[in-house]
């Protein structure tokens, strides 16, 4: 299979514009977003104004119809500087993806133009249902023309700020994942409330929160796909969105490498810049090589999606390799800075805390390895 990863003219123009936005508007806010732990509505408005939220939304609904590869390039560029800002976009696209794959056309015509400016979140995890999706207990019972939802979700990224939630619930009594379904819930629906907002180690500007449903009534037309298709919807969604999280991880890695190179050229010890020492040079060479390997895995996975052949094994490989690499890269970049790398005055300690999350979300990296192994041994 021939794959060309050279950016097109349209992609280059988009990235050039984005680099200026990141430099002028996002970079000055990155440290403050983390320190205050507040959701950055000003960054959301920036993304709205520059049509970033609607990049993957098809053109017939007002979006750009951007490819998966383009979306990965965009997230990598933002994440070099501010992981929180990149995560806002990625989580919105995570929520959009099952709607694009399984929502009926009439509902798309109504909803998708709204998603150019409004946020959508994705909620699957519960206290007893993380990697084991069969553990979902939140129930939706169909009564007349409405589903009545009861239960509690946890760790829903941006659930407290999103206008819509793609919610995974049990609609049937079948064991395991067979009774799982997906339903779209709007923010102001009676019976839906926000519970605990988690105090996270990193990614402090994109909150994870608890969602509470108490006799929450949702029109039956808000069912995504068919009853019992929830597991399929979740898995097909993640085949397409795991490269997106991986792209953020590559952005974290590249941002850390760029910072470590700049520091190594300026930091003088024993009468010369530390970049002149072979020990530092070898570290930088390894970090750059490992990051590039992750980048190529992501580009391959995204290209397969764009060609209409999404691959579970390619997406999981890209995800666990790039996210494991990000933690290692930032850790070694901190080592290059020495004591300064450990201080909050420098961005690497923030990047380290942020990088850790991506080894966990959308299936831990141990689950990703299970996916890869199961495909190899099938």
């Amino acid at each position: 299979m021939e794959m060309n990863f050279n950016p097109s003219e349209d992609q280059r123009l988009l990235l050039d514009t984005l680099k200026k936005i990141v430099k002028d508007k996002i970079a000055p806010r990155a440290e403050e977003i983390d320190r205050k732990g507040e959701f950055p509505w000003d960054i959301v408005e920036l993304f709205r104004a520059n049509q970033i939220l609607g990049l993957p939304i098809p053109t017939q609904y007002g979006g750009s119809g951007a490819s998966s590869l383009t979306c990965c390039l965009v997230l990598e560029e933002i994440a070099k500087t501010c992981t929180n800002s990149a995560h806002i976009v990625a989580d919105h696209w995570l929520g959009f993806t099952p709607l694009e794959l399984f929502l009926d056309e009439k509902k798309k015509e109504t909803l998708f133009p709204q998603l150019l400016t409004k946020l959508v979140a994705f909620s699957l995890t519960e206290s007893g249902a993380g990697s084991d999706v069969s553990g979902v207990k939140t129930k939706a019972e169909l009564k007349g023309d409405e589903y009545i939802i009861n239960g509690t979700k946890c760790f829903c990224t941006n659930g407290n700020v999103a206008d819509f939630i793609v919610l995974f619930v049990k609609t049937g009594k079948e064991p395991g994942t067979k009774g799982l379904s997906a339903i779209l819930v709007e923010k102001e629906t009676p019976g839906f409330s926000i519970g605990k907002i988690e105090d996270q180690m990193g990614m402090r500007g994109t909150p994870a929160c608890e969602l509470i449903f108490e006799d929450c009534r949702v029109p039956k037309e808000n069912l995504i796909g068919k009853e019992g298709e929830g597991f399929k919807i979740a898995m097909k969604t993640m085949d397409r969105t795991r490269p997106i999280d991986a792209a953020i991880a590559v952005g974290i890695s590249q941002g850390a490498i760029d910072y470590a190179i700049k520091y190594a050229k300026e930091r003088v010890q024993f009468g010369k810049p530390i970049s002149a020492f072979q020990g530092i040079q070898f570290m930088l060479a390894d970090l750059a090589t490992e990051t590039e390997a992750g980048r190529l895995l992501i580009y391959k996975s995204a290209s397969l999606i764009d060609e209409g052949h999404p691959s579970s094994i390619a997406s999981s490989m890209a995800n666990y390799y790039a996210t494991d690499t990000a933690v290692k890269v930032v850790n070694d970049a901190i080592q290059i800075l020495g004591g300064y790398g450990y201080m909050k005055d420098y961005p690497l300690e923030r990047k380290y805390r942020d990088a850790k999350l991506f080894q966990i979300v959308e299936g831990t990296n141990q689950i990703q390895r299970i996916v890869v192994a199961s495909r190899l041994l099938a």
Side-chain angles (χ1 to χ4, degrees):
M1 182 183 300
E2 182 178 350
M3 293 186 178
N4 179 10
F5 299 143
N6 294 322
S8 67
E9 182 62 25
D10 287 344
Q11 288 171 333
R12 281 194 292 268
L13 289 172
L14 174 61
L15 292 175
D16 286 345
T17 300
L18 187 63
K19 287 176 183 178
K20 181 170 175 39
I21 293 171
V22 170
K23 180 182 177 181
D24 294 345
K25 302 293 185 179
I26 297 178
R29 289 277 285 123
E31 183 275 334
E32 183 181 34
I33 291 169
D34 174 74
R35 174 166 43 83
K36 291 186 175 181
E38 296 175 353
F39 186 77
W41 284 109
D42 58 318
I43 303 299
V44 174
E45 187 54 43
L46 188 66
F47 289 146
R48 287 169 175 159
N50 289 276
Q51 292 83 50
I52 300 298
L53 295 181
L55 272 177
I57 296 176
T59 55
Q60 63 262 39
Y61 308 111
S64 300
S67 67
S68 178
L69 180 56
T70 297
C71 292
C72 288
L73 292 171
V74 165
L75 291 176
E76 179 184 339
E77 191 60 46
I78 298 171
K80 290 176 186 177
T81 300
C82 181
T83 319
N84 281 292
S85 296
H87 200 212
I88 290 170
V89 179
D91 194 68
H92 177 64
W93 293 347
L94 169 62
F96 161 74
T97 300
L99 302 174
E100 181 183 31
L101 293 175
F102 291 94
L103 204 63
D104 67 76
E105 187 58 36
K106 184 177 179 181
K107 195 73 175 177
K108 286 181 180 181
E109 291 174 356
T110 302
L111 179 63
F112 283 9
Q114 298 182 61
L115 298 185
L116 301 174
T117 55
K118 293 184 177 181
L119 298 176
V120 57
F122 181 98
S123 182
L124 177 60
T125 304
E126 298 180 8
S127 59
S131 298
D132 181 9
V133 179
S134 67
V136 167
K137 300 296 183 185
T138 299
K139 294 182 179 180
E141 183 179 0
L142 184 61
K143 289 189 176 181
D145 293 333
E146 295 178 317
Y147 282 102
I148 301 176
I149 305 173
N150 284 282
T152 302
K153 293 288 186 178
C154 65
F155 303 156
C156 179
T157 302
N158 293 344
N160 61 321
V161 296
D163 299 282
F164 303 95
I165 307 288
V166 173
L167 183 72
F168 289 84
V169 296
K170 291 285 284 188
T171 55
K173 297 181 180 180
E174 297 90 341
T177 61
K178 292 180 179 179
L180 195 67
S181 301
I183 296 176
L184 185 68
V185 180
E186 298 186 33
K187 183 177 184 179
E188 302 301 330
T189 305
F192 169 38
S193 62
I194 303 299
K196 179 184 179 183
I197 297 177
E198 302 292 342
D199 187 8
Q200 300 178 145
M201 179 175 94
M203 302 303 303
R204 296 181 58 79
T206 47
C209 69
E210 183 181 52
L211 309 180
I212 301 170
F213 299 90
E214 299 172 302
D215 290 333
C216 177
R217 294 177 177 270
V218 176
K220 68 178 183 181
E221 291 79 14
N222 283 26
L223 181 70
I224 302 167
K226 299 176 182 178
E227 281 199 6
E229 288 190 325
F231 183 72
K232 179 176 75 172
I233 291 170
M235 295 304 103
K236 286 187 176 294
T237 293
M238 291 182 186
D239 283 347
R240 289 162 173 78
T241 57
R242 281 171 173 154
I244 286 175
D245 279 341
I248 295 178
V250 165
I252 294 172
S253 295
Q254 192 61 58
I257 291 168
D258 293 345
Y259 197 90
I261 289 173
K262 182 177 182 295
Y263 179 89
K265 288 180 176 180
E266 295 173 353
R267 173 67 166 170
V268 174
Q269 292 287 275
F270 306 104
K272 64 178 75 173
I274 63 172
S275 60
F277 295 105
Q278 192 177 70
I280 299 296
Q281 292 173 358
F282 282 9
M283 287 179 72
L284 290 170
D286 286 344
L287 300 187
T289 301
E290 291 160 0
T291 298
E292 185 66 11
R295 181 179 285 118
L296 292 175
L297 283 169
I298 293 164
Y299 289 3
K300 176 183 176 180
S301 177
S303 294
L304 288 170
I305 293 168
D306 293 334
E307 293 171 359
H309 304 291
S311 165
S312 296
I313 191 169
S315 293
S316 289
M317 281 180 173
N319 187 278
Y320 85 71
Y321 184 85
T323 56
D324 280 350
T325 295
V327 173
K328 177 184 182 300
V329 166
V330 182
N331 181 65
D332 286 351
I334 289 172
Q335 191 71 17
I336 291 172
L337 267 69
Y340 291 109
Y342 196 67
M343 304 302 163
K344 286 184 177 291
D345 292 340
Y346 292 76
L348 295 187
E349 70 85 29
R350 164 166 48 90
K351 288 182 180 294
Y352 189 81
R353 289 184 285 108
D354 289 349
K356 182 60 191 175
L357 176 68
F358 293 94
Q359 293 180 305
I360 299 170
V361 294
E362 291 199 41
T364 66
N365 283 4
Q366 288 68 38
I367 291 294
Q368 308 296 349
R369 287 168 167 84
I370 290 173
V371 171
V372 172
S374 66
R375 299 303 187 273
L376 292 175
L377 298 171

